[in-house]
Structures are given as structure tokens and as C-alpha cells.
Amino acid sequence: MELGTVSVTPWEAEAFVDYDRLIKVFGAKPLTDNEINMLKNVTEELHIMISRRVFYSHRDFDKFLEAYKSSRRCALYTGRGPSGNTHLGHMLPWIFTKWLQDKLGLDLFFQMTDDEKFWHTEEREFEYFNSLAYENILDLAALGLDHRKTHVIIDSEDIGYLYPIVIKIAKKITFSVQRATFGFTDSTNVGMIFYPTLQMAVAFLPSELFREPIEVLIPAGIDQDPYWRIARDIATSLGYPKPSQIHNKLLPGLGIGGKMSSSKPETAIYTTDPPELAYGKVVKAYTGGRATAEEQRKFGGNPDVCPVYKMYEMMFEENDMKLYERYYSCRGGSLLCGECKTELAERVARFLKEHQSRRIRAVSHTEKYLIRNKFDPPIIKRT
Ligand code: TYM
């Protein structure tokens, strides 16, 4: 979707975009106090990613919460295209999803799209992406997602769970819809053209597995929204509830502009980065500061365009008062970028150290997350 000079698609996205305009163009709704109060009513407290509107827009989140409150059966769905190691941007929606899972006690279906990433990337063998799917499960385990309630579908190996649904989805979607929604062209390979049916299918899988209509909520980056627009259009005609979404803004990379992305490894913090390497990346980050310390003291910096401030706001500062203090000290020129970056570098390095020791402990039990070890694939009822 083009927004002036920037574009947001599932495969390419800026971080500092006009998010309000983006949701208007996408046709989603801003998250308002109404939905936030409804959530608080159920969860009793709010995650900072909600109160700070990191998750900022939605489709039918209110209806999902109503369904949950009236004891209708609900589930969560999110995913990952394993194209490399996990970075902090990927972790952002998963951290919130874990919080929701803990608060609501729901099953989470987690899709690993090794096929998508193979079709999308030129140079690598398919096996590389499949191995990464397993490698990335370590991050889900290290985050503490409950393996009894978290079910990972690896597309290439668990296709039997999706294919009976995909067959029906594929018949409903024309190439012209795909082209208009995802920007495919005559030179796009047919794997990519077919792929969206797989990402949509997981939204309907819980209804097939539990053999009743399941209300599904998808917490994910706003860049993934195009899939859900189509999924919602076709859901009713396939006999499934429309999946609901709650969208997060994109964590910027540590360079100028752009989301944190595997395509710019020097500006991304990977969960596998040695803590000292990550420390160095943060210390070298681009900021919203002035050219010299003198100018910064005189005119102040600009946290609104600063990826370092955004890292605090979106993930690394729990305390609202401290966040505001940081914001205004930066604006007022009393906080210099060096100090602000060093503090963040320390927090990031500490987070990685702890996360990595949990990753090591997870190595022996990734199997527990696989859907194939827990559910039978949907049954095709012959007529
Ligand atoms: P992928 O691997 O590109 O991204 C995984 C999740 O991370 C979000 N994300 C970000 N969030 C904040 N800041 C960033 N810099 C950032 N970069 C990525 C994405 O929005 C996504 O939520 N096709 C999908 C895989 C997938 C999926 C799903 C994702 C399959 N089913 C259902 C979400 C929900 C993909 O390649 O995601």
C-alpha cells in the first residue's frame, strides 16, 4: 500500500509512517478508550503496549472481547516467516501475545511460514528456512509461551492441517484480488501468489480442530493486515467467524528510517546477538539528537523521530513516569544521546543474556510446541 513516498506491505515497511493515515487506507479502526476499557475489564491491568498505543488499531477487537466475556470459545493466532534469526521487532507482538495468552488462558496457533520465505528469497535452499522454523521456536519457548497451549504449524510439514481449508479459500480468491492487495506482478512466482491462502487458513483452523465456530484474534504488525482483509471478506461464505485483529506499530531499526528488519542486520538486534555485539549496535545507533552536545543542550533533541527513544517506549521502559522524564529531558536538552544510548544498551544486553540462557534451556523441548504432537489434522467429511 503506497503512502506518498513510503510503502507498507507484508514484505517491505517503513517504521516512521503516518499510522493514522495507514489505517484509514487499510480500512481498520483506531484502538479507542472503549476497547481499552473493555480489555481492562477482563484483564484487570493493561500492558504498556496497549496503554501507549503500540498496539494502536484493530478490526472487531471489541466483538472478540464480547465473545470472550460471554464464554464463547476463542483462540489466538500469530506467526513468523523464518528468514533468519528472530529480532526484537518480531518479539514485540509475541511479548504482547504471551501476555494476552496468560490473561485470557487461550490456545495460541503459531504459524511458521518456511514456504513463504523460500518463495520470497532468491539465494537460499528451502531446507535453510525449514531449519530456521525450528530455530525460531526457541524464542517462543524462551519468552515463556506455554507449550500446552501454544501450537506451532510449520507449513511445509504440517500442510495436512491447512490444505483442506486452503482448497476452499483458494477457490474464493481471484488473481486480480491478489494483485490489487499484495502488488503481485507477472513476474511474481506462483508460490508467492498462492501463499496468502496458507496464512489465511490458520485463522480458520481452530474452528476445524474444535468442530465449532471459534472466535480468533490475531495480534500482529500492521504490515500483515492485507491478509486479514481478504480472510474477513471470505470467512462467512466459508462458514467461519470473521477473524479479529489488533495491530502493532513497527519497531524502528537503529539506522535512519525503516523498521527493524532482517534485510538490515547492522541496525537490528537479534535474539542470538552476543550481548556485547548488541551493546555496540545500540551505542552506534542513529538518534533524534543534534550534531553536537552543545547544540543538543541549547535546542534539545527530537524523541519523536528517534529509534532509541522508540525502543524505550515500545519495549524497554515499563515505568510511564520515567518514560515521560526521558522524553522531556531529551526535548529540553538536559539528556544527551550518549547517556541515553548507553542506558538502553545495558538494558538490551541484560535482556539478551537472560533470553539466551532460556533459549538454551528450551533446546530439548521444542517438540512440545508442534501441533502435530497434539492434534489430529481436520477430518474431511466425505459425502
Ligand atoms: P514476519 O516474520 O515478517 O514477522 C513476524 C511478526 O513480527 C512483526 N514484525 C514487527 N513488529 C514490530 N516491529 C518490527 N520491526 C517488526 N517486523 C516484523 C510482523 O508484523 C509479524 O507480526 N507472513 C508472516 C508470518 C505469519 C504471520 C501469521 C504473522 C504467518 N501467519 C499471522 C502474523 C500473524 C511473516 O513473514 O512475519
Side-chain angles (χ1 to χ4, degrees):
M1 188 68 61
E2 291 296 326
L3 284 169
T5 54
V6 298
S7 97
V8 175
T9 74
W11 304 285
E12 179 197 351
E14 300 288 320
F16 288 100
V17 295
D18 181 342
Y19 281 105
D20 294 335
R21 186 152 160 244
L22 185 57
I23 53 172
K24 268 195 200 124
V25 177
F26 278 2
K29 287 192 185 150
L31 193 72
T32 64
D33 288 347
N34 174 44
E35 293 83 44
I36 294 184
N37 289 335
M38 283 176 79
L39 177 65
K40 195 169 177 195
N41 215 283
V42 177
T43 55
E44 287 175 7
E45 52 180 6
L46 290 176
H47 196 276
I48 54 163
M49 290 184 194
I50 290 285
S51 56
R52 294 181 191 163
R53 305 287 210 277
V54 175
F55 277 83
Y56 84 112
S57 91
H58 75 107
R59 290 176 193 271
D60 283 351
F61 185 44
D62 44 347
K63 291 199 183 127
F64 174 83
L65 290 169
E66 269 162 26
Y68 177 84
K69 270 198 94 167
S70 58
S71 303
R72 294 235 295 282
R73 197 150 179 192
C74 298
L76 301 170
Y77 162 36
T78 197
R80 160 81 176 127
S83 56
N85 292 117
T86 303
H87 61 58
L88 293 181
H90 304 128
M91 297 276 284
L92 188 152
W94 306 346
I95 289 170
F96 176 68
T97 304
K98 174 184 159 33
W99 179 84
L100 263 187
Q101 185 185 49
D102 290 348
K103 292 285 174 196
L104 306 182
L106 296 176
D107 283 298
L108 164 66
F109 292 83
F110 194 104
Q111 184 176 31
M112 288 283 184
T113 59
D114 52 351
D115 49 356
E116 175 199 8
K117 292 298 150 172
F118 172 62
W119 288 325
H120 182 63
T121 315
E122 291 296 318
E123 313 84 31
R124 301 278 194 166
E125 298 288 317
F126 165 69
E127 289 70 15
Y128 169 76
F129 300 98
N130 179 256
S131 311
L132 280 170
Y134 286 91
E135 199 281 338
N136 287 186
I137 293 176
L138 295 178
D139 290 303
L140 308 184
L143 268 181
L145 280 160
D146 180 352
H147 61 79
R148 287 162 304 185
K149 288 193 158 283
T150 304
H151 317 301
V152 174
I153 302 124
I154 301 181
D155 281 359
S156 62
E157 295 176 79
D158 299 316
I159 191 65
Y161 290 82
L162 305 184
Y163 202 60
I165 308 169
V166 164
I167 291 169
K168 295 176 190 167
I169 295 176
K171 194 163 177 181
K172 295 270 176 201
I173 304 174
T174 61
F175 178 53
S176 89
V177 167
Q178 295 285 73
R179 194 173 37 203
T181 311
F182 297 100
F184 295 147
T185 66
D186 284 355
S187 51
T188 306
N189 69 58
V190 295
M192 283 305 286
I193 295 167
F194 183 64
Y195 168 72
T197 60
L198 288 139
Q199 183 152 336
M200 291 175 218
V202 182
F204 306 138
L205 178 62
S207 295
E208 291 291 343
L209 293 178
F210 300 122
R211 301 209 200 136
E212 62 177 289
I214 306 291
E215 303 291 335
V216 171
L217 173 70
I218 309 170
I222 184 77
D223 57 320
Q224 300 296 312
D225 185 66
Y227 297 100
W228 323 130
R229 295 203 291 273
I230 306 182
R232 287 169 58 83
D233 280 350
I234 62 175
T236 314
S237 69
L238 293 174
Y240 302 116
K242 287 186 183 200
S244 315
Q245 289 85 48
I246 178 158
H247 305 117
N248 62 271
K249 294 179 186 167
L250 302 175
L251 187 73
L254 296 169
I256 302 178
K259 67 167 181 170
M260 187 170 287
S261 159
S262 306
S263 57
K264 293 182 206 143
E266 65 296 345
T267 65
I269 305 284
Y270 293 94
T271 58
T272 47
D273 277 349
E276 38 318 336
L277 175 69
Y279 188 102
K281 285 183 186 176
V282 176
V283 167
K284 281 192 221 112
Y286 164 81
T287 67
R290 303 274 173 179
T292 63
E294 217 166 69
E295 280 183 39
Q296 174 100 356
R297 281 200 194 92
K298 206 160 157 195
F299 305 112
N302 185 358
D304 293 326
V305 297
C306 178
V308 172
Y309 177 77
K310 289 284 161 198
M311 293 265 278
Y312 281 112
E313 182 188 41
M314 294 169 87
M315 287 179 95
F316 284 96
E317 179 55 88
E318 293 274 328
N319 184 306
D320 285 339
M321 269 318 289
K322 289 191 178 156
L323 186 72
Y324 295 139
E325 270 169 28
R326 185 173 298 280
Y327 186 90
Y328 288 106
S329 313
C330 169
R331 279 234 169 266
S334 60
L335 176 64
L336 299 186
C337 296
E339 187 189 330
C340 192
K341 287 198 279 192
T342 309
E343 221 180 303
L344 180 66
E346 278 160 12
R347 290 186 198 191
V348 168
R350 200 177 322 127
F351 168 80
L352 289 180
K353 227 172 143 193
E354 289 162 12
H355 186 77
Q356 287 166 9
S357 64
R358 289 194 297 266
R359 271 174 61 96
I360 292 169
R361 288 202 294 279
V363 169
S364 57
H365 57 268
T366 49
E367 293 286 312
K368 292 183 186 160
Y369 286 87
L370 302 179
I371 193 165
R372 70 189 83 124
N373 294 332
K374 296 183 270 186
F375 289 91
D376 289 328
I379 297 164
I380 299 171
K381 286 184 231 99
R382 295 198 193 100
T383 53

